[in-house]
Amino acid sequence: MKNIRNFCIIAHIDHGKSTLADRLLEYTNTISKRDMQDQALDNMDLERERGITIKSHAIQMRYVHPATGEEFIFNLIDTPGHVDFSYEVSRSIAACEGALLLVDATQGIQAQTISNLYLAVDHDLEIIPIINKIDMESAMIEEVQDQIIDLIGCDRDDILKASGRTGEGIPEILAAVVDRIHAPKGDPEAPLQAMIFDSMFNSYRGVIAYVRIMNGTLKKGDKIKFMATEKEVVAEEVGVLKMGQFETAELSAGNVGYVITGIKVSREIKVGDTITQLGRPAEYAIKGFEEVKPMVFAGVYPLDNDDFEDLRDSLEKLQLNDASLVFEPETSAALGFGFRCGFLGMLHLEIVQERLQREFDQDIITTVPNVTYFATDMKGKRFVVHQPTELPDPNHLESAEEPYIYAQIITKPDYIGNIMSLCMEKRGILIKQHYLTPTRLEIIFHMPLAEIVFDFYDQLKSMTRGYASFDYHVLDYRETDLVKLDIKLNGEQVDALSALVHRSKAEYIGRRMCEKLKELLPRQQFQIAIQAAIGGKVIARETISALRKDVTAKCYGGDISRKRKLLEKQKEGKKRMKQFGSVEVPQEAFLKVLKLND
């Protein structure tokens, strides 16, 4: 055990975590030159296309210390950087003793760096600060060193300098992992306690659980029990995670690996659960991870109602691999049976939607995302409002409350005016602002969560040329003037596009949604009226004109009454079409409608 080191890499988005992980894998010969590709650990197409890490990835490396010649086993977990995937980071941190804190030499410390650092400090992890991208011309090494010293109070000599691109500083990082991060604690002879920090579904082998052994030893063929679900099974295979899965006879205390039990029902395994032996059980389960708190809710419905059960299976399998996804069944008058899903943010929603379509071939409709509100009716009864249909009539509504967040923005002073106007526009309340260094400014706002759900992050990035970083956590619920905004097509309400909005924004959002729908909906043979309404009052309208065939083209000369007769006949036909024709909203239109400022 004294030769095992478990550590993760934490940083803000685009600070070079996956590139540094590539160099560590190359240096320790875990992956051959021939098999090497950029973002080697990112095995999802989506991760490569977007250039971001979505899932944490565990891998084992072997390292020989140059000074002593001793061989060490390194279990590395590469983590995502985006705020929407912070739950992945918290689970990875719980399985480690140390963390490499990566800071980009060209950008300095950013909001997510601080938030991930606090997560690691709360779990008593040993922090190794590293300045990455030192080979860049715009690197500000001295300045970033000062920022790190201010943040974690370390000595200047403790900060390592590296480049994930050229491989500079990699030997020093590996040596520091051995010297600074302590070996895992635990007793291989004690009753088994293995914490599940991730899992995935394999159609041939069933659910594969990724575990960190805290105490005891897990052997192939052992009878084991999941303490939360009380499921009893046999460990069919155990092993370690390299570029693939490598079977071993046993996994002992301090190690990270996988266990296959042949369980085919995904709800029988929970991430954060503890595995113990049936014959010699542990007294208590390991304290798991904090409960996931979804920030954004949206309805996910199958295009065809017969696919409801398939969608349930797909969501359960996806939840194994993405523990921050929360869902429960719901029904809608217009869309039939579906699920109400909770996401950590809009990027998370987009990723889940893409994965359902790519990995599980699901054709789905996603409703307008919204947050959870509290409403009180005239009788004084307080209840939760998850979706627009649950909000009582304005005549029966006494008051409504919405969630507020503590938003931390770190930026350069040049962009302070833009950020202030954006946050004020989003009903933000300025709490404080102060300079971290002469060129870095921290601004704290209290803002309604509903205002940042759609396009706040995108707008913030574009107006600061990518230099502002943003992090938030939920504060409390505060009273608000909430209304239900309905979208009607030819007088028929589209459930999926209904939204709960603040009264002051209702007219603007209604008008923009009508304009967007006019651009996105295909023209029909009949005229389409798009209306935004609050209750019975229409506040915005757009009209899509009908496609028109020239029925008088065949008439040349002759009496006008003949042409008029044909035009009247066409008019009757259009009227009849409008009566019976239905307007389909294409799936891609749903999310595009919400990006109102594009």
Side-chain angles (χ1 to χ4, degrees), residues 18-270:
S18 298
T19 313
L20 188 82
D22 290 349
R23 298 294 82 76
L24 294 173
L25 295 177
E26 269 185 355
Y27 190 86
T28 54
N29 296 319
T30 307
I31 185 167
S32 65
K33 282 268 196 292
R34 189 181 63 185
D35 295 334
M36 190 64 205
Q37 54 176 337
D38 287 347
Q39 288 175 266
L41 292 178
D42 293 350
N43 51 14
M44 237 187 280
D45 290 346
L46 265 174
E47 292 179 311
R48 297 189 172 283
E49 280 169 29
R50 290 176 180 244
I52 56 172
T53 301
I54 293 167
K55 283 286 306 158
S56 296
H57 299 279
I59 191 161
Q60 191 176 92
M61 306 183 285
R62 291 191 175 273
Y63 169 70
V64 179
H65 199 292
T68 60
E70 238 181 318
E71 188 176 69
F72 289 85
I73 291 173
F74 287 176
N75 290 309
L76 157 72
I77 304 180
D78 177 28
T79 64
H82 196 282
V83 65
D84 278 16
F85 305 115
S86 55
Y87 191 61
E88 287 284 327
V89 182
S90 75
R91 294 190 351 244
S92 307
I93 283 172
C96 296
E97 277 80 35
L100 306 183
L101 178 73
L102 224 57
V103 182
D104 188 330
T106 63
Q107 296 184 52
I109 283 172
Q110 297 194 300
Q112 201 61 28
T113 316
I114 297 171
S115 128
N116 286 344
L117 170 70
Y118 288 159
L119 267 177
V121 170
D122 287 347
H123 282 79
D124 292 333
L125 263 61
E126 178 63 43
I127 309 291
I128 300 178
I130 301 167
I131 297 178
N132 193 23
K133 305 189 185 179
I134 56 167
D135 57 314
M136 303 280 275
E137 281 179 21
S138 53
M140 313 170 288
I141 296 169
E142 291 295 318
E143 199 178 314
V144 176
Q145 276 181 327
D146 294 339
Q147 289 174 21
I148 294 173
I149 292 165
D150 285 349
L151 182 66
I152 59 176
C154 62
D155 294 334
R156 195 171 283 271
D157 299 340
D158 293 342
I159 303 169
L160 303 177
K161 300 184 195 73
S163 165
R165 193 170 58 172
T166 63
E168 190 180 339
I170 298 297
E172 288 79 4
I173 292 172
L174 290 165
V177 167
V178 171
D179 301 336
R180 296 196 211 172
I181 297 173
H182 63 80
K185 297 183 175 78
D187 179 3
E189 304 305 319
L192 174 68
Q193 283 179 310
M195 179 178 68
I196 303 174
F197 66 90
D198 204 354
S199 55
M200 63 171 285
F201 189 83
N202 181 302
S203 43
Y204 301 107
R205 309 296 305 269
V207 180
I208 301 171
Y210 293 166
V211 293
R212 157 74 202 269
I213 313 283
M214 296 299 190
N215 285 306
T217 304
L218 174 61
K219 297 186 177 127
K220 182 179 177 176
D222 277 358
K223 287 183 177 169
I224 56 174
K225 176 183 174 182
F226 296 93
M227 294 181 87
T229 57
E230 299 196 335
K231 177 78 178 169
E232 297 172 5
V233 286
V234 173
E236 292 177 2
E237 182 180 316
V238 296
V240 294
L241 298 156
K242 295 197 176 177
M243 279 317 281
Q245 293 164 348
F246 283 80
E247 191 177 347
T248 56
E250 61 176 44
L251 284 174
S252 60
N255 229 320
V256 173
Y258 70 91
V259 55
I260 298 175
T261 55
I263 290 177
K264 289 284 198 288
V265 183
S266 41
R267 52 179 168 269
E268 288 174 355
I269 287 191
K270 280 191 166 63

Side-chain angles (χ1 to χ4, degrees), residues 342-498:
F343 307 94
L344 295 183
M346 283 299 279
L347 178 65
H348 187 207
L349 185 153
E350 280 185 47
I351 296 296
V352 167
Q353 197 177 324
E354 285 255 358
R355 288 186 71 185
L356 281 171
Q357 286 168 343
R358 289 186 186 202
E359 295 172 30
F360 301 99
D361 290 332
Q362 292 295 322
D363 289 328
I364 54 170
I365 289 175
T366 312
T367 63
V368 174
N370 63 295
V371 299
T372 302
Y373 297 92
F374 282 105
T376 308
D377 61 17
M378 291 300 189
K379 294 174 185 168
K381 185 185 166 196
R382 187 169 183 259
F383 51 92
V384 182
V385 176
H386 282 309
Q387 51 184 340
T389 48
E390 293 171 357
L391 190 74
D393 247 8
N395 316 333
H396 300 128
L397 183 66
E398 173 69 34
S399 65
E401 295 162 48
E402 66 178 335
Y404 265 69
I405 58 162
Y406 175 94
Q408 175 199 37
I409 298 168
I410 296 178
T411 182
K412 292 187 171 183
D414 318 10
Y415 307 113
I416 184 168
N418 291 352
I419 291 170
M420 288 288 188
S421 58
L422 174 66
C423 293
M424 295 298 187
E425 185 192 309
K426 301 282 185 188
R427 298 189 285 130
I429 304 158
L430 179 65
I431 301 301
K432 69 168 185 179
Q433 61 179 72
H434 69 279
Y435 282 86
L436 301 169
T437 69
T439 56
R440 293 170 68 70
L441 177 74
E442 182 186 50
I443 311 171
I444 306 293
F445 271 94
H446 285 181
M447 293 170 72
L449 177 60
E451 294 287 346
I452 69 153
V453 162
F454 297 131
D455 52 1
F456 177 81
Y457 193 70
D458 297 344
Q459 282 182 268
L460 181 70
K461 280 291 181 195
S462 59
M463 67 174 43
T464 58
R465 298 182 191 166
Y467 278 110
S469 62
F470 172 69
D471 190 36
Y472 66 88
H473 60 259
V474 174
L475 277 175
D476 52 14
Y477 278 78
R478 302 181 189 180
E479 202 160 305
T480 183
D481 188 3
L482 196 66
V483 294
K484 180 185 169 203
L485 181 71
D486 291 320
I487 299 293
K488 297 180 178 183
L489 296 179
N490 277 350
E492 278 190 33
Q493 197 170 308
V494 183
D495 256 17
L497 288 174
S498 293

Side-chain angles (χ1 to χ4, degrees), residues 498-512:
S498 293
L500 295 168
V501 295
H502 192 265
R503 193 179 293 276
S504 65
K505 296 286 182 78
E507 194 179 328
Y508 167 74
I509 290 174
R511 194 178 305 122
R512 292 291 291 130

